[in-house]
Amino acid sequence: MSNRQIRFQFTFIKKPIKLIMRKLFQLKALSLLALAFLVSTTAFGQASPRENVSGTVAGSMITVNYGSPSVKGRKIWGGLVPYDKVWRTGANEATIFTTSQAIKIGEKTLPAGKYSLYTIPGEKEWKVIFNSQTGQWGIKEDGSTTDDASKDVLVTSVTPMKSKMSNERMVFKLTKSSVILLWDNLAVPIKVSK
């Protein structure tokens, strides 16, 4: 076999090996990128996942869309969530409360529509605020909420109570006559009627 034939055979074998190596490198790089995206989404994007609950309450279809934070060993009431200050009632974007019909919250009427839901937690009493501005992030850069009091449609008082069990994640539950916020060791029922 001549040197020329040997070089031709070596070149013939070398090109497919380079192509295979390049494809393996691209596959490995793509796999690492996908893994990095998955880890970052799990570690950071799901810290307070967006949740949604819907159902019929007092004859109206009610939906609550909210960011669901976790306790993570923190002091929630009077700590992470201070007393006597407006709270976005969840995490990230402002919580959205939608009702298909006019309903009564306490003795006040809330027209059918979509509202941001804010609260002012207190040790013995909470204020619940339904605000006509929607779509905003729940807090400003300085840490205060985005609640614009001039757009409050309804403000009412409710009484918090100890929950039957501790809830690691904040959730909203719907019954035939209430929307209930549950988080940590507290239940905050919001009575609804026709």
Side-chain angles (χ1 to χ4, degrees):
M1 202 183 270
S2 73
N3 280 344
R4 187 174 182 194
Q5 287 176 323
I6 292 172
R7 262 188 269 138
F8 174 76
Q9 284 180 342
F10 180 73
T11 304
F12 185 74
I13 293 171
K14 190 175 174 184
K15 284 185 180 181
I17 290 175
K18 279 186 175 181
L19 183 62
I20 290 169
M21 294 301 287
R22 186 178 320 134
K23 293 292 181 188
L24 283 173
F25 177 78
Q26 289 171 346
L27 184 60
K28 185 176 180 181
L30 187 59
S31 297
L32 287 173
L33 184 63
L35 181 62
F37 176 77
L38 180 63
V39 167
S40 69
T41 300
T42 303
F44 303 109
Q46 295 300 313
S48 298
R50 206 75 190 155
E51 298 290 341
N52 197 48
V53 63
S54 295
T56 303
V57 181
S60 179
M61 177 54 74
I62 290 180
T63 301
V64 184
N65 184 282
Y66 59 98
S68 176
S70 295
V71 173
K72 296 181 185 174
R74 301 174 289 188
K75 178 181 179 179
I76 301 302
W77 311 118
L80 179 67
V81 179
Y83 290 128
D84 305 318
K85 289 180 79 175
V86 178
W87 176 45
R88 60 182 157 176
T89 317
N92 306 325
E93 297 168 38
T95 293
I96 300 297
F97 181 99
T98 308
T99 178
S100 65
Q101 298 177 28
I103 54 174
K104 284 198 173 204
I105 307 281
E107 297 299 315
K108 300 174 183 176
T109 300
L110 182 68
K114 188 178 194 178
Y115 303 93
S116 288
L117 178 69
Y118 295 97
T119 53
I120 301 175
E123 289 186 67
K124 297 187 189 248
E125 183 179 80
W126 281 39
K127 297 264 188 243
V128 179
I129 303 164
F130 296 88
N131 185 287
S132 63
Q133 181 182 358
T134 60
Q136 68 277 17
W137 196 252
I139 58 172
K140 300 175 191 170
E141 286 183 22
D142 66 2
S144 64
T145 63
T146 52
D147 176 44
D148 177 352
S150 69
K151 296 181 180 174
D152 291 350
V153 175
L154 186 148
V155 179
T156 192
S157 296
V158 298
T159 304
M161 61 181 72
K162 191 112 170 123
S163 58
K164 292 180 183 177
M165 60 184 217
S166 183
N167 292 279
E168 174 64 23
R169 281 209 173 276
M170 189 190 91
V171 296
F172 279 91
K173 297 285 183 191
L174 305 180
T175 70
K176 290 181 183 180
S177 61
S178 296
V179 174
I180 306 166
L181 178 143
L182 297 157
W183 195 23
D184 193 18
N185 60 351
L186 209 60
V188 183
I190 304 166
K191 300 285 185 200
V192 179
S193 59
K194 290 182 183 187

PDB file of all heavy atoms in Angstrom, residues 8-37:
ATOM      1  N   PHE A   8      -5.170   8.709   2.141  1.00  0.00           N
ATOM      2  CA  PHE A   8      -6.560   8.768   1.706  1.00  0.00           C
ATOM      3  C   PHE A   8      -7.454   8.018   2.693  1.00  0.00           C
ATOM      4  O   PHE A   8      -8.504   8.525   3.108  1.00  0.00           O
ATOM      5  CB  PHE A   8      -6.713   8.186   0.297  1.00  0.00           C
ATOM      6  CG  PHE A   8      -8.144   8.095  -0.141  1.00  0.00           C
ATOM      7  CD1 PHE A   8      -8.843   9.231  -0.538  1.00  0.00           C
ATOM      8  CD2 PHE A   8      -8.813   6.878  -0.124  1.00  0.00           C
ATOM      9  CE1 PHE A   8     -10.160   9.149  -0.924  1.00  0.00           C
ATOM     10  CE2 PHE A   8     -10.128   6.804  -0.515  1.00  0.00           C
ATOM     11  CZ  PHE A   8     -10.806   7.922  -0.917  1.00  0.00           C
ATOM     12  N   GLN A   9      -7.035   6.804   3.077  1.00  0.00           N
ATOM     13  CA  GLN A   9      -7.829   6.026   4.031  1.00  0.00           C
ATOM     14  C   GLN A   9      -7.913   6.738   5.380  1.00  0.00           C
ATOM     15  O   GLN A   9      -8.945   6.775   6.008  1.00  0.00           O
ATOM     16  CB  GLN A   9      -7.231   4.630   4.206  1.00  0.00           C
ATOM     17  CG  GLN A   9      -7.521   3.713   3.045  1.00  0.00           C
ATOM     18  CD  GLN A   9      -6.918   2.327   3.262  1.00  0.00           C
ATOM     19  OE1 GLN A   9      -6.033   2.140   4.090  1.00  0.00           O
ATOM     20  NE2 GLN A   9      -7.415   1.383   2.480  1.00  0.00           N
ATOM     21  N   PHE A  10      -6.802   7.324   5.841  1.00  0.00           N
ATOM     22  CA  PHE A  10      -6.790   8.022   7.128  1.00  0.00           C
ATOM     23  C   PHE A  10      -7.714   9.249   7.075  1.00  0.00           C
ATOM     24  O   PHE A  10      -8.473   9.516   7.989  1.00  0.00           O
ATOM     25  CB  PHE A  10      -5.351   8.439   7.475  1.00  0.00           C
ATOM     26  CG  PHE A  10      -5.260   9.155   8.778  1.00  0.00           C
ATOM     27  CD1 PHE A  10      -5.403   8.471   9.978  1.00  0.00           C
ATOM     28  CD2 PHE A  10      -5.079  10.528   8.806  1.00  0.00           C
ATOM     29  CE1 PHE A  10      -5.337   9.130  11.177  1.00  0.00           C
ATOM     30  CE2 PHE A  10      -5.014  11.194  10.007  1.00  0.00           C
ATOM     31  CZ  PHE A  10      -5.141  10.513  11.202  1.00  0.00           C
ATOM     32  N   THR A  11      -7.649  10.009   5.965  1.00  0.00           N
ATOM     33  CA  THR A  11      -8.515  11.175   5.788  1.00  0.00           C
ATOM     34  C   THR A  11      -9.966  10.728   5.723  1.00  0.00           C
ATOM     35  O   THR A  11     -10.852  11.367   6.284  1.00  0.00           O
ATOM     36  CB  THR A  11      -8.130  11.935   4.503  1.00  0.00           C
ATOM     37  OG1 THR A  11      -6.757  12.279   4.573  1.00  0.00           O
ATOM     38  CG2 THR A  11      -8.959  13.190   4.340  1.00  0.00           C
ATOM     39  N   PHE A  12     -10.232   9.658   5.059  1.00  0.00           N
ATOM     40  CA  PHE A  12     -11.582   9.126   4.917  1.00  0.00           C
ATOM     41  C   PHE A  12     -12.157   8.753   6.290  1.00  0.00           C
ATOM     42  O   PHE A  12     -13.318   8.992   6.576  1.00  0.00           O
ATOM     43  CB  PHE A  12     -11.550   7.895   3.987  1.00  0.00           C
ATOM     44  CG  PHE A  12     -12.905   7.349   3.698  1.00  0.00           C
ATOM     45  CD1 PHE A  12     -13.769   8.007   2.831  1.00  0.00           C
ATOM     46  CD2 PHE A  12     -13.334   6.174   4.312  1.00  0.00           C
ATOM     47  CE1 PHE A  12     -15.015   7.495   2.565  1.00  0.00           C
ATOM     48  CE2 PHE A  12     -14.589   5.670   4.047  1.00  0.00           C
ATOM     49  CZ  PHE A  12     -15.429   6.320   3.173  1.00  0.00           C
ATOM     50  N   ILE A  13     -11.343   8.206   7.166  1.00  0.00           N
ATOM     51  CA  ILE A  13     -11.779   7.815   8.514  1.00  0.00           C
ATOM     52  C   ILE A  13     -11.824   9.049   9.426  1.00  0.00           C
ATOM     53  O   ILE A  13     -12.711   9.186  10.258  1.00  0.00           O
ATOM     54  CB  ILE A  13     -10.819   6.748   9.094  1.00  0.00           C
ATOM     55  CG1 ILE A  13     -10.945   5.460   8.287  1.00  0.00           C
ATOM     56  CG2 ILE A  13     -11.099   6.504  10.569  1.00  0.00           C
ATOM     57  CD1 ILE A  13      -9.903   4.422   8.625  1.00  0.00           C
ATOM     58  N   LYS A  14     -10.893   9.978   9.262  1.00  0.00           N
ATOM     59  CA  LYS A  14     -10.777  11.137  10.137  1.00  0.00           C
ATOM     60  C   LYS A  14     -12.002  12.056  10.036  1.00  0.00           C
ATOM     61  O   LYS A  14     -12.488  12.574  11.040  1.00  0.00           O
ATOM     62  CB  LYS A  14      -9.502  11.907   9.764  1.00  0.00           C
ATOM     63  CG  LYS A  14      -9.121  12.991  10.706  1.00  0.00           C
ATOM     64  CD  LYS A  14      -7.790  13.581  10.277  1.00  0.00           C
ATOM     65  CE  LYS A  14      -7.433  14.781  11.107  1.00  0.00           C
ATOM     66  NZ  LYS A  14      -6.210  15.416  10.647  1.00  0.00           N
ATOM     67  N   LYS A  15     -12.560  12.293   8.849  1.00  0.00           N
ATOM     68  CA  LYS A  15     -13.705  13.183   8.667  1.00  0.00           C
ATOM     69  C   LYS A  15     -14.940  12.695   9.427  1.00  0.00           C
ATOM     70  O   LYS A  15     -15.551  13.489  10.141  1.00  0.00           O
ATOM     71  CB  LYS A  15     -14.004  13.380   7.182  1.00  0.00           C
ATOM     72  CG  LYS A  15     -13.021  14.317   6.521  1.00  0.00           C
ATOM     73  CD  LYS A  15     -13.396  14.585   5.090  1.00  0.00           C
ATOM     74  CE  LYS A  15     -12.379  15.525   4.463  1.00  0.00           C
ATOM     75  NZ  LYS A  15     -12.701  15.847   3.101  1.00  0.00           N
ATOM     76  N   PRO A  16     -15.365  11.432   9.347  1.00  0.00           N
ATOM     77  CA  PRO A  16     -16.528  10.986  10.118  1.00  0.00           C
ATOM     78  C   PRO A  16     -16.294  11.074  11.627  1.00  0.00           C
ATOM     79  O   PRO A  16     -17.198  11.395  12.388  1.00  0.00           O
ATOM     80  CB  PRO A  16     -16.738   9.542   9.694  1.00  0.00           C
ATOM     81  CG  PRO A  16     -16.087   9.418   8.376  1.00  0.00           C
ATOM     82  CD  PRO A  16     -14.950  10.410   8.399  1.00  0.00           C
ATOM     83  N   ILE A  17     -15.050  10.824  12.062  1.00  0.00           N
ATOM     84  CA  ILE A  17     -14.751  10.908  13.499  1.00  0.00           C
ATOM     85  C   ILE A  17     -14.919  12.354  13.963  1.00  0.00           C
ATOM     86  O   ILE A  17     -15.523  12.616  15.003  1.00  0.00           O
ATOM     87  CB  ILE A  17     -13.336  10.359  13.803  1.00  0.00           C
ATOM     88  CG1 ILE A  17     -13.332   8.843  13.614  1.00  0.00           C
ATOM     89  CG2 ILE A  17     -12.907  10.741  15.214  1.00  0.00           C
ATOM     90  CD1 ILE A  17     -11.969   8.212  13.764  1.00  0.00           C
ATOM     91  N   LYS A  18     -14.425  13.327  13.186  1.00  0.00           N
ATOM     92  CA  LYS A  18     -14.592  14.733  13.537  1.00  0.00           C
ATOM     93  C   LYS A  18     -16.070  15.103  13.594  1.00  0.00           C
ATOM     94  O   LYS A  18     -16.515  15.819  14.488  1.00  0.00           O
ATOM     95  CB  LYS A  18     -13.873  15.633  12.531  1.00  0.00           C
ATOM     96  CG  LYS A  18     -12.401  15.769  12.751  1.00  0.00           C
ATOM     97  CD  LYS A  18     -11.845  16.786  11.782  1.00  0.00           C
ATOM     98  CE  LYS A  18     -10.375  17.040  12.068  1.00  0.00           C
ATOM     99  NZ  LYS A  18      -9.824  18.047  11.154  1.00  0.00           N
ATOM    100  N   LEU A  19     -16.839  14.636  12.640  1.00  0.00           N
ATOM    101  CA  LEU A  19     -18.265  14.922  12.593  1.00  0.00           C
ATOM    102  C   LEU A  19     -18.981  14.327  13.808  1.00  0.00           C
ATOM    103  O   LEU A  19     -19.793  15.003  14.454  1.00  0.00           O
ATOM    104  CB  LEU A  19     -18.873  14.358  11.295  1.00  0.00           C
ATOM    105  CG  LEU A  19     -20.343  14.649  11.063  1.00  0.00           C
ATOM    106  CD1 LEU A  19     -20.599  16.143  10.947  1.00  0.00           C
ATOM    107  CD2 LEU A  19     -20.825  13.938   9.810  1.00  0.00           C
ATOM    108  N   ILE A  20     -18.641  13.111  14.150  1.00  0.00           N
ATOM    109  CA  ILE A  20     -19.239  12.457  15.326  1.00  0.00           C
ATOM    110  C   ILE A  20     -18.855  13.213  16.590  1.00  0.00           C
ATOM    111  O   ILE A  20     -19.700  13.469  17.443  1.00  0.00           O
ATOM    112  CB  ILE A  20     -18.810  10.967  15.401  1.00  0.00           C
ATOM    113  CG1 ILE A  20     -19.463  10.175  14.280  1.00  0.00           C
ATOM    114  CG2 ILE A  20     -19.156  10.372  16.767  1.00  0.00           C
ATOM    115  CD1 ILE A  20     -18.922   8.771  14.101  1.00  0.00           C
ATOM    116  N   MET A  21     -17.602  13.608  16.720  1.00  0.00           N
ATOM    117  CA  MET A  21     -17.141  14.328  17.905  1.00  0.00           C
ATOM    118  C   MET A  21     -17.858  15.681  18.024  1.00  0.00           C
ATOM    119  O   MET A  21     -18.263  16.096  19.104  1.00  0.00           O
ATOM    120  CB  MET A  21     -15.627  14.533  17.871  1.00  0.00           C
ATOM    121  CG  MET A  21     -14.827  13.242  17.974  1.00  0.00           C
ATOM    122  SD  MET A  21     -15.166  12.326  19.480  1.00  0.00           S
ATOM    123  CE  MET A  21     -14.330  13.346  20.654  1.00  0.00           C
ATOM    124  N   ARG A  22     -18.017  16.375  16.891  1.00  0.00           N
ATOM    125  CA  ARG A  22     -18.706  17.663  16.904  1.00  0.00           C
ATOM    126  C   ARG A  22     -20.162  17.474  17.341  1.00  0.00           C
ATOM    127  O   ARG A  22     -20.675  18.233  18.159  1.00  0.00           O
ATOM    128  CB  ARG A  22     -18.654  18.310  15.520  1.00  0.00           C
ATOM    129  CG  ARG A  22     -19.231  19.727  15.542  1.00  0.00           C
ATOM    130  CD  ARG A  22     -19.166  20.467  14.216  1.00  0.00           C
ATOM    131  NE  ARG A  22     -17.947  20.269  13.484  1.00  0.00           N
ATOM    132  CZ  ARG A  22     -17.906  20.003  12.176  1.00  0.00           C
ATOM    133  NH1 ARG A  22     -19.005  19.943  11.472  1.00  0.00           N
ATOM    134  NH2 ARG A  22     -16.761  19.822  11.574  1.00  0.00           N
ATOM    135  N   LYS A  23     -20.832  16.474  16.827  1.00  0.00           N
ATOM    136  CA  LYS A  23     -22.234  16.206  17.203  1.00  0.00           C
ATOM    137  C   LYS A  23     -22.343  15.834  18.679  1.00  0.00           C
ATOM    138  O   LYS A  23     -23.263  16.278  19.364  1.00  0.00           O
ATOM    139  CB  LYS A  23     -22.834  15.090  16.331  1.00  0.00           C
ATOM    140  CG  LYS A  23     -23.005  15.460  14.888  1.00  0.00           C
ATOM    141  CD  LYS A  23     -24.065  16.512  14.728  1.00  0.00           C
ATOM    142  CE  LYS A  23     -24.242  16.855  13.258  1.00  0.00           C
ATOM    143  NZ  LYS A  23     -25.114  17.988  13.064  1.00  0.00           N
ATOM    144  N   LEU A  24     -21.398  15.037  19.180  1.00  0.00           N
ATOM    145  CA  LEU A  24     -21.405  14.688  20.601  1.00  0.00           C
ATOM    146  C   LEU A  24     -21.196  15.924  21.466  1.00  0.00           C
ATOM    147  O   LEU A  24     -21.853  16.094  22.498  1.00  0.00           O
ATOM    148  CB  LEU A  24     -20.328  13.639  20.909  1.00  0.00           C
ATOM    149  CG  LEU A  24     -20.657  12.203  20.496  1.00  0.00           C
ATOM    150  CD1 LEU A  24     -19.442  11.306  20.702  1.00  0.00           C
ATOM    151  CD2 LEU A  24     -21.843  11.686  21.283  1.00  0.00           C
ATOM    152  N   PHE A  25     -20.291  16.810  21.061  1.00  0.00           N
ATOM    153  CA  PHE A  25     -20.049  18.042  21.811  1.00  0.00           C
ATOM    154  C   PHE A  25     -21.308  18.914  21.821  1.00  0.00           C
ATOM    155  O   PHE A  25     -21.699  19.457  22.848  1.00  0.00           O
ATOM    156  CB  PHE A  25     -18.870  18.812  21.197  1.00  0.00           C
ATOM    157  CG  PHE A  25     -18.620  20.123  21.874  1.00  0.00           C
ATOM    158  CD1 PHE A  25     -17.959  20.163  23.102  1.00  0.00           C
ATOM    159  CD2 PHE A  25     -19.056  21.306  21.319  1.00  0.00           C
ATOM    160  CE1 PHE A  25     -17.741  21.362  23.747  1.00  0.00           C
ATOM    161  CE2 PHE A  25     -18.843  22.510  21.955  1.00  0.00           C
ATOM    162  CZ  PHE A  25     -18.188  22.542  23.173  1.00  0.00           C
ATOM    163  N   GLN A  26     -21.973  19.040  20.666  1.00  0.00           N
ATOM    164  CA  GLN A  26     -23.199  19.842  20.594  1.00  0.00           C
ATOM    165  C   GLN A  26     -24.299  19.239  21.475  1.00  0.00           C
ATOM    166  O   GLN A  26     -25.012  19.964  22.169  1.00  0.00           O
ATOM    167  CB  GLN A  26     -23.687  19.937  19.144  1.00  0.00           C
ATOM    168  CG  GLN A  26     -22.802  20.808  18.276  1.00  0.00           C
ATOM    169  CD  GLN A  26     -23.177  20.726  16.805  1.00  0.00           C
ATOM    170  OE1 GLN A  26     -23.921  19.848  16.371  1.00  0.00           O
ATOM    171  NE2 GLN A  26     -22.626  21.654  16.013  1.00  0.00           N
ATOM    172  N   LEU A  27     -24.420  17.933  21.462  1.00  0.00           N
ATOM    173  CA  LEU A  27     -25.423  17.244  22.279  1.00  0.00           C
ATOM    174  C   LEU A  27     -25.134  17.449  23.769  1.00  0.00           C
ATOM    175  O   LEU A  27     -26.034  17.726  24.555  1.00  0.00           O
ATOM    176  CB  LEU A  27     -25.455  15.748  21.938  1.00  0.00           C
ATOM    177  CG  LEU A  27     -26.503  14.915  22.643  1.00  0.00           C
ATOM    178  CD1 LEU A  27     -27.897  15.413  22.329  1.00  0.00           C
ATOM    179  CD2 LEU A  27     -26.374  13.460  22.248  1.00  0.00           C
ATOM    180  N   LYS A  28     -23.848  17.354  24.139  1.00  0.00           N
ATOM    181  CA  LYS A  28     -23.460  17.553  25.537  1.00  0.00           C
ATOM    182  C   LYS A  28     -23.745  18.999  25.965  1.00  0.00           C
ATOM    183  O   LYS A  28     -24.279  19.242  27.041  1.00  0.00           O
ATOM    184  CB  LYS A  28     -21.971  17.230  25.705  1.00  0.00           C
ATOM    185  CG  LYS A  28     -21.483  17.277  27.125  1.00  0.00           C
ATOM    186  CD  LYS A  28     -20.027  16.854  27.194  1.00  0.00           C
ATOM    187  CE  LYS A  28     -19.504  16.883  28.610  1.00  0.00           C
ATOM    188  NZ  LYS A  28     -18.097  16.489  28.678  1.00  0.00           N
ATOM    189  N   ALA A  29     -23.415  19.964  25.111  1.00  0.00           N
ATOM    190  CA  ALA A  29     -23.659  21.378  25.423  1.00  0.00           C
ATOM    191  C   ALA A  29     -25.159  21.648  25.563  1.00  0.00           C
ATOM    192  O   ALA A  29     -25.600  22.342  26.489  1.00  0.00           O
ATOM    193  CB  ALA A  29     -23.060  22.274  24.344  1.00  0.00           C
ATOM    194  N   LEU A  30     -25.946  21.082  24.686  1.00  0.00           N
ATOM    195  CA  LEU A  30     -27.398  21.240  24.747  1.00  0.00           C
ATOM    196  C   LEU A  30     -27.968  20.608  26.019  1.00  0.00           C
ATOM    197  O   LEU A  30     -28.838  21.187  26.679  1.00  0.00           O
ATOM    198  CB  LEU A  30     -28.043  20.617  23.504  1.00  0.00           C
ATOM    199  CG  LEU A  30     -29.532  20.845  23.326  1.00  0.00           C
ATOM    200  CD1 LEU A  30     -29.855  22.330  23.247  1.00  0.00           C
ATOM    201  CD2 LEU A  30     -30.027  20.141  22.074  1.00  0.00           C
ATOM    202  N   SER A  31     -27.454  19.457  26.372  1.00  0.00           N
ATOM    203  CA  SER A  31     -27.903  18.779  27.599  1.00  0.00           C
ATOM    204  C   SER A  31     -27.573  19.609  28.833  1.00  0.00           C
ATOM    205  O   SER A  31     -28.391  19.739  29.746  1.00  0.00           O
ATOM    206  CB  SER A  31     -27.248  17.401  27.735  1.00  0.00           C
ATOM    207  OG  SER A  31     -27.642  16.574  26.680  1.00  0.00           O
ATOM    208  N   LEU A  32     -26.369  20.175  28.896  1.00  0.00           N
ATOM    209  CA  LEU A  32     -25.973  21.019  30.031  1.00  0.00           C
ATOM    210  C   LEU A  32     -26.830  22.276  30.109  1.00  0.00           C
ATOM    211  O   LEU A  32     -27.235  22.695  31.192  1.00  0.00           O
ATOM    212  CB  LEU A  32     -24.493  21.385  29.938  1.00  0.00           C
ATOM    213  CG  LEU A  32     -23.516  20.254  30.249  1.00  0.00           C
ATOM    214  CD1 LEU A  32     -22.083  20.690  29.951  1.00  0.00           C
ATOM    215  CD2 LEU A  32     -23.638  19.818  31.695  1.00  0.00           C
ATOM    216  N   LEU A  33     -27.151  22.864  28.972  1.00  0.00           N
ATOM    217  CA  LEU A  33     -28.000  24.043  28.943  1.00  0.00           C
ATOM    218  C   LEU A  33     -29.409  23.711  29.454  1.00  0.00           C
ATOM    219  O   LEU A  33     -29.972  24.454  30.261  1.00  0.00           O
ATOM    220  CB  LEU A  33     -28.061  24.604  27.519  1.00  0.00           C
ATOM    221  CG  LEU A  33     -28.834  25.895  27.328  1.00  0.00           C
ATOM    222  CD1 LEU A  33     -28.186  27.028  28.119  1.00  0.00           C
ATOM    223  CD2 LEU A  33     -28.895  26.257  25.855  1.00  0.00           C
ATOM    224  N   ALA A  34     -29.956  22.594  29.010  1.00  0.00           N
ATOM    225  CA  ALA A  34     -31.285  22.169  29.469  1.00  0.00           C
ATOM    226  C   ALA A  34     -31.283  21.886  30.968  1.00  0.00           C
ATOM    227  O   ALA A  34     -32.217  22.268  31.683  1.00  0.00           O
ATOM    228  CB  ALA A  34     -31.736  20.930  28.695  1.00  0.00           C
ATOM    229  N   LEU A  35     -30.238  21.257  31.456  1.00  0.00           N
ATOM    230  CA  LEU A  35     -30.127  20.975  32.888  1.00  0.00           C
ATOM    231  C   LEU A  35     -30.022  22.271  33.699  1.00  0.00           C
ATOM    232  O   LEU A  35     -30.678  22.424  34.732  1.00  0.00           O
ATOM    233  CB  LEU A  35     -28.908  20.087  33.160  1.00  0.00           C
ATOM    234  CG  LEU A  35     -28.675  19.685  34.616  1.00  0.00           C
ATOM    235  CD1 LEU A  35     -29.854  18.868  35.134  1.00  0.00           C
ATOM    236  CD2 LEU A  35     -27.391  18.902  34.758  1.00  0.00           C
ATOM    237  N   ALA A  36     -29.236  23.222  33.227  1.00  0.00           N
ATOM    238  CA  ALA A  36     -29.105  24.511  33.914  1.00  0.00           C
ATOM    239  C   ALA A  36     -30.440  25.236  33.959  1.00  0.00           C
ATOM    240  O   ALA A  36     -30.824  25.809  34.980  1.00  0.00           O
ATOM    241  CB  ALA A  36     -28.056  25.380  33.223  1.00  0.00           C
ATOM    242  N   PHE A  37     -31.194  25.206  32.872  1.00  0.00           N
ATOM    243  CA  PHE A  37     -32.519  25.844  32.834  1.00  0.00           C
ATOM    244  C   PHE A  37     -33.459  25.168  33.823  1.00  0.00           C
ATOM    245  O   PHE A  37     -34.161  25.834  34.571  1.00  0.00           O
ATOM    246  CB  PHE A  37     -33.090  25.769  31.412  1.00  0.00           C
ATOM    247  CG  PHE A  37     -34.471  26.323  31.312  1.00  0.00           C
ATOM    248  CD1 PHE A  37     -34.668  27.693  31.295  1.00  0.00           C
ATOM    249  CD2 PHE A  37     -35.569  25.489  31.256  1.00  0.00           C
ATOM    250  CE1 PHE A  37     -35.946  28.216  31.217  1.00  0.00           C
ATOM    251  CE2 PHE A  37     -36.846  25.996  31.180  1.00  0.00           C
ATOM    252  CZ  PHE A  37     -37.039  27.363  31.158  1.00  0.00           C
TER     253      PHE A  37
END
